[in-house]
Amino acid sequence: MSVSSSDHGKWPSDETDATDATSVGSMTGTVIYPSNPHTMTLREAPGSMWQHELEFLGSRAPIHTTTITASHDLVKKWNESAASIIKILNHYQGQWVGVELVERYQVISNSYPTCLITLSKMEQLSQAHLLKIGQLVSQVTNGVYVEITEGHVFRTGDFLTSEAKLKLPYKRAPIMGSSISVSEIDHASGTFGGYLELFNADVVKTCGLSCHHVLFPIAPADLTLADLRPYAKSLHENITICSPAIYDHNRSLNIDQEDIDHATKEKDTLLKQLEHLGAEAPRQTSQAIQRADTRIATKVQRIHDASVDRNIGEVFFSSGYKLDGEAQCQLDYGLIEMYPARVGTNEIPNDENSFKVTYIAKIPLEGGKVRKFGRTTDITEGYINPVDSFIRFKGTAFEMVSKEKMIYGIAGKPFTLAGDSGAWVVDVFGGLIGMVWGGFTSHEGSFLTPISLITEDITKQTGSSLFLPLPSDRQDFTGDLTYYGTGLGACGVTSTDADNIVSISHFLFDSQQTGSDPNLNPLCGLQIRAERFDEQVNAMRSVDVTVVDRCTGCAPTDLDVSPGVFSQLADPAKGRVTVTWAWLSPVPTTASR
């Protein structure tokens, strides 16, 4: 059913005679049409954490959100359907902030396709109008469940309700996921995404990337039109950024000092007992005093280690709040010009298996799996919804309606929480695909801006070419080395078996393709140094090679070289060996969408 808000005469009656109250499921602050399928209680939920709490067992098990199945009939026509839904909401003057197509579940094996509508205030609409909206939207969406709930859009650096996990001594160069804030502000914090290099003429700036609202923290209700404008360092005073954030730093110091005070009081009590009992005091008393001394010394050392200069750089450019002209998604990014001594590498720390962010990749299709490392939630994994979510973000004197990529955490776990704004999102191979900036308060979804849109806007606004320090800073990568029959390659160059040439992984090659002609791929002609230890000569051997082709059977860090190159590094009879390699020239980050 197609509904037009411009012709009120075609709208069905606002009376709810098309349904009765028993066909509409409701929960506190939520209406579900035509009925509520989420009836499982905590007692019935498998593995419920509440099963030992008898008073809670009759309560409803929580409802979670995940991606819509890519093959669902509504996916291909979602944009058109969403436009009709927004017209319905506007007709009833529903102050909507989100329209999404998702699956909702209590147990993942029983998930239900749902049009999830978020209103800023449900009380502004009568129950009759809420039910009518549910009925009309259900018709537009071919009968999927319609859930109307209350919430708002928030940017994940707006509110500090979660603590960062700080390790001392502080790292001199912030790592991906580090806590950052403006040096003079102690009420907001965000995430250091990672490093980019900006080239303008012969000048190279290494910048950190995070969100605009992390560098300019203003509550959404206080935003004005002036706050939408971009910021450029050359036109304003310097804004210094520190890591860890002031809020997190001070919180850590306060906790350490509280521990010192507690241990000191405990020690004083034990000393009095020791003085009173003398030789009759149990040996455990002296041991407890020693443990208190150790605790005090440890915390004093932590406070000493934290007494360092934490400033990492100054804001170079920031986007303000705006929409990308083509994708119609929000751009919310900021660049920090790093102090030279504070520059690190793009590596996601992981106690079990750290990995480097090596190249920019396309958004995975059909609900691809991704991960991120943030200030608050560390490493989390999730899936990208195959359809866009429509959101409305309001300030005091403006509103922005946009289409956003959404990521939903796995097994009901949130992908981000407060303080994770600016976290980089990577695919399963370590390719950078985007940055998170916020979400809905009503459920666990997170907004993702594709990195290609961010880098394109940075180039447009600053006139700089962009490069990813990894692998262009000669960081080493390891993969398989093979050889192939040469000839005409994807770069339009005809090579021979004796030439020092390489075919790189299609993952890398395609991530940089900006048009239909592979001959113009910016990776064509770039130099790579490949090296390995040759057991035959008991020495390291290396060869510089030129990119001329695209390898469809290669993993992201594999190299396929000419027979001549392979023979310089290994015995051709082996066919496949391990190789270490690095780029000898910068790798552009401009990636096709």
Side-chain angles (χ1 to χ4, degrees):
M1 176 180 177
S2 177
V3 181
S4 172
S5 62
S6 62
D7 186 356
H8 291 187
K10 293 184 179 180
W11 284 81
S13 168
D14 288 343
E15 299 300 325
T16 57
D17 54 356
T19 186
D20 55 45
T22 60
S23 68
V24 179
S26 64
M27 298 176 292
T28 303
T30 299
V31 169
I32 301 179
Y33 182 92
S35 61
N36 183 6
H38 309 295
T39 58
M40 183 177 292
T41 64
L42 288 172
R43 183 189 301 275
E44 299 166 326
S48 173
M49 62 179 291
W50 300 103
Q51 287 187 356
H52 64 288
E53 302 286 350
L54 295 179
E55 63 270 30
F56 292 120
L57 290 181
S59 302
R60 289 275 173 84
I63 302 173
H64 302 296
T65 310
T66 190
T67 59
I68 188 71
T69 303
S71 59
H72 193 281
D73 292 341
L74 199 54
V75 167
K76 292 183 179 179
K77 56 181 180 179
W78 170 242
N79 286 351
E80 177 184 349
S81 299
S84 296
I85 294 167
I86 291 172
K87 288 180 180 180
I88 294 171
L89 295 170
N90 290 341
H91 170 78
Y92 285 97
Q93 298 181 348
Q95 296 300 307
W96 69 275
V97 294
V99 176
E100 304 172 82
L101 180 62
V102 297
E103 292 190 8
R104 297 275 276 167
Y105 68 94
Q106 292 177 298
V107 178
I108 191 62
S109 58
N110 292 323
S111 60
Y112 301 90
T114 302
C115 177
L116 183 58
I117 297 172
T118 304
L119 303 180
S120 59
K121 290 184 179 180
M122 289 184 66
E123 64 186 23
Q124 292 179 343
L125 294 175
S126 67
Q127 184 75 359
H129 282 172
L130 289 172
L131 300 185
K132 179 58 66 176
I133 289 173
Q135 177 194 15
L136 295 174
V137 172
S138 179
Q139 293 170 346
V140 168
T141 56
N142 297 330
V144 303
Y145 285 96
V146 180
E147 182 175 341
I148 306 174
T149 189
E150 185 171 296
H152 65 266
V153 173
F154 77 100
R155 297 178 187 269
T156 48
D158 289 339
F159 313 103
L160 288 179
T161 58
S162 304
E163 306 300 331
K165 300 175 183 178
L166 301 185
K167 294 181 180 180
L168 287 168
Y170 296 148
K171 293 183 180 294
R172 187 161 183 81
I175 60 176
M176 294 177 64
S178 293
S179 156
I180 62 170
S181 74
V182 178
S183 295
E184 295 82 18
I185 292 179
D186 62 0
H187 64 269
S189 177
T191 293
F192 182 87
Y195 298 93
L196 293 174
E197 288 182 349
L198 276 65
F199 286 72
N200 197 332
D202 294 329
V203 179
V204 181
K205 295 181 185 295
T206 299
C207 292
L209 181 66
S210 187
C211 285
H212 169 81
H213 74 268
V214 171
L215 310 183
F216 295 87
I218 302 173
D222 297 330
L223 287 173
T224 65
L225 289 174
D227 299 315
L228 302 182
R229 303 188 183 103
Y231 167 94
K233 181 180 178 181
S234 59
L235 303 177
H236 299 271
E237 62 185 17
N238 293 342
I239 299 174
T240 305
I241 304 300
C242 64
S243 179
I246 290 183
Y247 174 90
D248 298 323
H249 171 73
N250 290 344
R251 174 78 175 168
S252 178
L253 292 183
N254 291 339
I255 291 175
D256 287 339
Q257 187 59 55
E258 290 172 0
D259 287 347
I260 291 173
D261 294 343
H262 179 77
T264 300
K265 290 181 180 179
E266 182 180 301
K267 176 184 175 181
D268 290 343
T269 300
L270 292 169
L271 287 172
K272 290 178 181 179
Q273 292 178 0
L274 188 64
E275 181 181 359
H276 175 70
L277 296 176
E280 298 180 358
R283 186 176 60 178
Q284 289 86 342
T285 302
S286 296
Q287 293 174 339
I289 292 174
Q290 291 177 353
R291 288 195 296 270
D293 282 336
T294 300
R295 284 172 54 195
I296 293 170
T298 299
K299 297 300 181 179
V300 168
Q301 184 62 47
R302 278 178 55 89
I303 292 176
H304 176 269
D305 290 342
S307 301
V308 295
D309 178 11
R310 295 178 296 107
N311 292 334
I312 62 172
E314 299 169 358
V315 179
F316 171 67
F317 180 81
S318 203
S319 64
Y321 298 99
K322 63 181 180 180
L323 294 179
D324 177 83
E326 183 177 344
Q328 288 299 296
C329 71
Q330 291 195 38
L331 291 176
D332 178 354
Y333 68 83
L335 292 168
I336 307 161
E337 185 175 357
M338 304 297 295
Y339 297 144
R342 300 303 176 93
V343 176
T345 60
N346 288 332
E347 183 172 356
I348 291 185
N350 187 329
D351 293 337
E352 298 180 358
N353 184 26
S354 298
F355 62 94
K356 299 171 183 176
V357 178
T358 61
Y359 63 99
I360 282 184
K362 299 177 182 179
I363 297 289
L365 300 177
E366 298 187 355
K369 188 176 182 179
V370 297
R371 66 177 67 172
K372 75 101 192 59
F373 190 82
R375 162 208 176 264
T376 307
T377 54
D378 296 340
I379 294 179
T380 57
E381 295 185 331
Y383 292 94
I384 299 178
N385 207 20
V387 297
D388 291 336
S389 293
F390 289 75
I391 74 166
R392 182 162 68 174
F393 182 74
K394 299 189 68 174
T396 55
F398 73 93
E399 70 174 38
M400 299 173 66
V401 177
S402 62
K403 298 191 301 182
E404 304 296 336
K405 303 292 182 186
M406 293 294 292
I407 304 175
Y408 301 103
I410 296 175
K413 296 180 180 179
F415 190 70
T416 59
L417 288 176
D420 284 331
S421 281
W424 280 8
V425 180
V426 300
D427 63 18
V428 293
F429 300 107
L432 175 61
I433 64 171
M435 184 170 71
V436 292
W437 61 265
F440 288 112
T441 59
S442 53
H443 61 79
E444 57 269 81
S446 302
F447 302 134
L448 168 74
T449 301
I451 192 66
S452 59
L453 301 182
I454 294 174
T455 57
E456 286 171 8
D457 195 70
I458 292 173
T459 297
K460 185 185 302 181
Q461 300 298 327
T462 67
S464 301
S465 300
L466 292 177
F467 298 86
L468 204 60
L470 288 177
S472 63
D473 63 352
R474 298 195 181 192
Q475 290 291 322
D476 291 336
F477 302 95
T478 301
D480 287 350
L481 181 74
T482 54
Y483 62 91
Y484 69 106
T486 56
L488 179 63
C491 294
V493 176
T494 300
S495 306
T496 70
D497 289 354
D499 292 335
N500 285 359
I501 52 92
V502 62
S503 175
I504 61 173
S505 166
H506 63 103
F507 290 102
L508 290 177
F509 193 96
D510 292 349
S511 73
Q512 306 301 318
Q513 188 65 46
T514 56
S516 60
D517 187 357
N519 295 177
L520 302 179
N521 190 297
L523 297 183
C524 289
L526 295 188
Q527 297 287 309
I528 286 174
R529 174 162 295 166
E531 60 183 17
R532 66 181 300 274
F533 183 82
D534 189 349
E535 300 85 353
Q536 292 179 318
V537 297
N538 198 35
M540 292 295 297
R541 304 174 77 174
S542 65
V543 181
D544 290 349
V545 293
T546 302
V547 175
V548 298
D549 207 354
R550 172 182 180 273
C551 176
T552 57
C554 291
T557 57
D558 291 348
L559 298 180
D560 203 13
V561 297
S562 67
V565 170
F566 193 96
S567 64
Q568 295 179 62
L569 296 171
D571 181 359
K574 292 187 175 182
R576 182 183 296 269
V577 294
T578 301
V579 67
T580 299
W581 60 273
W583 293 97
L584 300 182
S585 50
V587 181
T589 63
T590 304
S592 60
R593 296 176 191 172

